[in-house]
């Protein structure tokens, strides 16, 4: 059996077309030996069809589960990792043909134990405010890294904080991947490279009700607040993250954009609340 180099952890409930798109992009990776890849799939729905779609050279660990939070599902999968490196693709993301070869080229060179790239939507538009230049990631400048853009050397003892992430019982709807990366930086002395030449696609074209978006904003803001206090971020960094939504409220009141006023308010309120969450 070929040695497994990269383990890819994914979970899903019911996104058939998106999952097929992801698997096709994985099958089509160039300059990568598919026999060195392991897909660990935590199925929280009825997605066994993927076993027929994925290239037979790729090792598949197919797990079934009742509905779990994202962090719990990933922690379940981490026990089955066989690779030297690990990543956490979303069930609706997909790769460029050379995404994994670029990632493995950097990691195998040995100077960095982690790498993160950029996200682009189906139209090639950036999914966040990613920096233009290659740089090393530090605790106060994480370069908009998000789980589907992250690739790390595997640390068998590290797990996600199950209080955080989608499905959190405490409405801490984000920050689990940043927490994971910060733990690697702080406790494992990892060096992590941000490289904008590494591209992972993720859709942004879904239109949600404004009420849903406000709830999401609030939940994600609680995540940032909790992350800042958990990792004892510098006072200047915390102040900046609290000042931004206050400024947003002022500007949007002047513009009479009441939806954005509410969004800035939920950002501020959530971050304040998150700073005082204790477990």
């Amino acid at each position: 059996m070929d040695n497994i180099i990269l383990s890819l952890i994914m979970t899903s409930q019911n996104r058939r077309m998106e999952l097929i798109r992801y698997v096709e992009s994985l099958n089509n990776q160039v300059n990568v030996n598919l026999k060195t890849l392991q897909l660990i799939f935590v199925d929280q729905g009825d997605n066994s069809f993927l076993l027929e779609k994925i290239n037979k050279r790729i090792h598949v660990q197919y797990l079934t589960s009742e509905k779990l939070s994202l962090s719990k599902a990933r922690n379940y999968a981490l026990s089955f990792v066989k690779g030297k490196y690990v990543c956490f693709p979303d069930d609706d993301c997909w790769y460029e043909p050379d995404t994994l070869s670029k990632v493995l080229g950097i990691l195998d060179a040995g100077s960095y134990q982690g790498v993160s790239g950029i996200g682009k939507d189906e139209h090639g538009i950036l999914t966040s405010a990613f920096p233009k230049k290659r740089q090393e990631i530090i605790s106060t400048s994480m370069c908009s890294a998000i789980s589907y853009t992250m690739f790390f050397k595997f640390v068998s003892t590290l797990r996600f904080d199950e209080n955080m992430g989608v499905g959190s019982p405490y409405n801490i709807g984000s920050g689990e991947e940043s927490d994971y990366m910060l733990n690697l930086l702080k406790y494992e002395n990892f060096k992590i490279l941000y490289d904008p030449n590494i591209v992972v696609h993720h859709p942004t074209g879904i239109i949600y009700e404004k009420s849903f978006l406000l709830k999401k904003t609030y939940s994600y803001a609680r995540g940032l607040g909790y992350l800042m206090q958990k990792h004892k971020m510098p006072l200047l960094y915390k102040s900046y993250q609290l000042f931004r939504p206050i400024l947003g409220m002022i500007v949007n009141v002047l513009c009479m954009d009441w939806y954005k006023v509410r969004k800035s308010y939920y950002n501020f309120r959530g971050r304040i609340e998150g700073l005082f969450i204790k477990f």
Side-chain angles (χ1 to χ4, degrees):
M1 179 183 291
D2 292 78
N3 290 329
I4 294 173
I5 295 176
L6 176 64
S7 296
L8 307 105
I9 290 176
M10 175 182 281
T11 186
S12 185
Q13 295 180 10
N14 185 24
R15 278 182 167 168
R16 181 181 179 89
M17 298 309 298
E18 291 90 342
L19 287 170
I20 290 173
R21 178 175 60 189
Y22 173 77
V23 165
E24 288 178 346
S25 78
L26 189 59
N27 290 342
N28 292 329
Q29 290 301 291
V30 298
N31 300 320
V32 172
N33 183 353
L34 297 184
K35 291 182 179 181
T36 64
L37 303 181
Q38 176 195 26
L39 177 64
I40 306 173
F41 185 75
V42 182
D43 194 349
Q44 302 184 56
D46 183 16
N47 300 294
S48 59
F49 65 87
L50 276 188
L51 299 175
E52 300 174 1
K53 299 289 184 182
I54 195 163
N55 190 296
K56 301 304 180 186
R57 290 178 291 170
I58 297 173
H59 299 271
V60 179
Q61 181 74 54
Y62 178 76
L63 308 170
T64 59
S65 171
E66 299 297 320
K67 290 185 179 180
L68 299 173
S69 70
L70 183 57
S71 291
K72 282 188 175 182
R74 286 172 171 168
N75 284 344
Y76 176 33
L78 280 167
S79 299
F80 296 88
V81 168
K82 301 296 183 185
K84 181 179 179 181
Y85 309 116
V86 66
C87 65
F88 307 95
D90 283 357
D91 59 358
D92 55 349
C93 78
W94 68 101
Y95 298 139
E96 293 276 298
D98 62 355
T99 296
L100 296 188
S101 65
K102 288 180 176 178
V103 167
L104 293 174
I106 291 170
L107 293 176
D108 285 341
S111 296
Y112 295 95
Q113 297 78 47
V115 61
S116 185
I118 64 173
K120 287 187 177 182
D121 69 9
E122 55 271 47
H123 306 295
I125 299 171
L126 293 176
T127 58
S128 188
F130 295 99
K132 293 181 179 180
K133 294 183 179 180
R134 206 178 201 230
Q135 58 191 273
E136 189 170 322
I137 289 175
I138 58 175
S139 61
T140 54
S141 180
M142 290 184 281
C143 301
S144 296
I146 191 168
S147 57
Y148 59 83
T149 68
M150 296 176 172
F151 303 81
F152 302 115
K153 183 178 179 181
F154 178 54
V155 176
S156 61
T157 55
L158 182 60
R159 293 293 184 270
F160 285 91
D161 184 340
E162 295 183 359
N163 295 317
M164 307 174 76
V166 176
S168 161
Y170 304 102
N171 197 22
I172 304 173
S174 70
E176 76 287 354
E177 68 266 54
S178 297
D179 177 65
Y180 189 94
M181 184 164 66
L182 285 168
N183 285 327
L184 291 173
L185 289 168
K186 288 170 62 177
Y187 303 116
E188 303 295 334
N189 295 315
F190 269 28
K191 290 182 68 178
I192 302 173
L193 178 69
Y194 163 74
D195 188 341
N197 294 309
I198 295 169
V199 178
V200 180
H201 291 280
H202 192 282
T204 56
I206 301 173
I207 299 175
Y208 293 106
E209 294 288 336
K210 287 184 176 180
S211 59
F212 172 84
L213 292 174
L214 289 174
K215 289 179 181 178
K216 185 176 180 180
T217 295
Y218 172 59
S219 178
Y220 276 35
R222 282 172 60 87
L224 177 56
Y226 175 64
L227 186 76
M228 289 192 294
Q229 66 92 357
K230 180 179 179 180
H231 288 276
K232 297 179 173 59
M233 295 291 196
L235 179 61
L236 184 63
Y237 180 82
K238 292 178 183 176
S239 300
Y240 172 73
Q241 294 298 340
L242 294 176
F243 175 73
R244 283 186 65 187
I246 292 174
L247 180 62
M249 282 187 281
I250 295 170
V251 170
N252 289 309
V253 164
L254 295 175
C255 295
M256 293 189 292
D257 189 330
W258 307 117
Y259 169 70
K260 287 186 177 179
V261 170
R262 293 177 67 196
K263 188 174 181 180
S264 294
Y265 164 73
Y266 280 116
N267 258 318
F268 177 73
R269 175 182 164 186
R271 291 174 190 184
I272 288 288
E273 290 180 5
L275 283 170
F276 292 96
I277 294 174
K278 303 287 185 181
F279 294 105

